[in-house]
Amino acid sequence: MASVLESVPLGSTGLQVSRIGLGSSYGIGGREVEAAYERGINYLYWGSIQRPDFGKAIRRLAARDRERLVIVVQTYTRVGFLMKPALESALRELDTDYADVLLLGWWNDMPPRRIRDAALRLKESGRVRSIMISCHERQMFKAFIGEPVFDAIMVRYNAAHPGAETEVFPHLAQRRVGVVAYTATRWGSLLDARLTPKGEPTPTAADCYRFVLTNPNVDVCLAGPKDAQELEAAFTALDRGPMSEAELQWMKRIGAAVREHHRQPWLARLVSDLTS
């Protein structure tokens, strides 16, 4: 089935991105990545696990349509002078001259000046076009949004973890950086029928993506399909569009139940899992 998806700006980066992005870590094959691109998904995240077939798909797509492709390269380095060789290695692997986004991964505090300067040098050299930061501590995003080095943020947001609605998104009024949301399914917990309250339908992955994308502050919802069937959930979400208020409230009820389950002491949770 052919489809051309509407793209949106990634904040003020100048990049036009699909509302759904694909991550390299979860097993989707290169053929499926290329098929997704033909249907409009152009945000490709070379992430924590860099599967070779995903990389081959990026190389093939970049060879024929580089300007429309948005390639995200992640680095976890805490040593400034190692950032450039790490990026160069990724660019060689993907056979491209630049990354559209350099993601500084998992900073729960403001990165030291040496890290920010190393990223800026790569941007000034043209090897990256924009700089994004990810974090697990929501209170830090106010500082990240106010830091001119960062063009975009990557934030955990789903029905079980909706805290970004009050702790992150309001700060975008200060400066509208790009926003990428991850863990839409809460690592699959929102899809687990055992955690769904009695009498409620269990969400699908498409429902989880729709929940995230209904929030107007989110530019891209990152998906991690492992195969073509799971990829279809992303297109279902895009086809169905934003959730109604009733659907949002349903998802928040499911999210609250999932969150409460994972707050239980580990032994009680284990007993509950084994007996449910």
Side-chain angles (χ1 to χ4, degrees), residues 220-232:
V220 179
C221 175
L222 192 63
K226 70 174 184 291
D227 54 31
Q229 182 177 351
E230 291 191 358
L231 176 62
E232 283 304 312

Side-chain angles (χ1 to χ4, degrees), residues 76-244:
Y76 285 121
T77 187
R78 268 47 180 170
V79 181
F81 68 81
L82 292 181
M83 191 179 298
K84 181 177 180 179
L87 174 68
E88 296 293 345
S89 175
L91 296 182
R92 285 193 299 272
E93 177 73 14
L94 301 176
D95 196 19
T96 183
D97 293 332
Y98 64 93
D100 298 280
V101 181
L102 176 66
L103 171 58
L104 307 185
W106 205 337
W107 286 94
N108 290 339
D109 206 343
M110 182 64 72
R113 175 54 63 183
R114 67 180 185 276
I115 295 293
R116 287 177 282 161
D117 286 348
L120 276 175
R121 285 193 294 270
L122 291 170
K123 185 177 180 181
E124 290 164 359
S125 72
R127 298 301 262 174
V128 301
R129 289 186 170 181
S130 55
I131 300 168
M132 181 161 65
I133 189 165
S134 72
C135 179
H136 289 265
E137 299 293 336
R138 286 191 296 264
Q139 68 272 15
M140 280 305 305
F141 281 104
K142 180 179 180 180
F144 294 154
I145 290 168
E147 169 54 67
V149 169
F150 304 126
D151 304 298
I153 57 173
M154 185 164 151
V155 57
R156 181 174 63 175
Y157 176 57
N158 56 57
H161 296 287
E165 294 174 358
T166 55
E167 298 177 58
V168 178
F169 298 152
H171 300 303
L172 296 171
Q174 165 191 356
R175 177 169 167 258
R176 184 50 168 99
V177 298
V179 177
V180 177
Y182 67 99
T183 66
T185 69
R186 207 252 174 223
W187 298 286
S189 294
L190 288 164
L191 314 180
D192 189 341
R194 297 172 300 174
L195 306 184
T196 303
K198 187 175 181 180
E200 299 272 20
T202 301
T204 65
D207 293 321
C208 295
Y209 300 147
R210 289 179 66 219
F211 175 86
V212 171
L213 291 174
T214 299
N215 191 295
N217 295 290
V218 175
D219 300 317
V220 179
C221 175
L222 192 63
K226 70 174 184 291
D227 54 31
Q229 182 177 351
E230 291 191 358
L231 176 62
E232 283 304 312
F235 287 103
T236 298
L238 294 166
D239 289 342
R240 293 183 63 190
M243 284 189 155
S244 67

Side-chain angles (χ1 to χ4, degrees), residues 13 15-16 19 23 36 41 48 55 71 80 82 105 116 130 135 137 156 161 199 206 208 213 229 242 253 260 264 267:
T13 63
L15 298 169
Q16 288 290 126
R19 301 299 313 284
I41 291 181
S48 301
I71 300 174
L82 292 181
R116 287 177 282 161
S130 55
C135 179
E137 299 293 336
R156 181 174 63 175
H161 296 287
C208 295
L213 291 174
Q229 182 177 351
R253 291 194 299 272
E260 181 59 30
Q264 297 173 27
L267 184 57

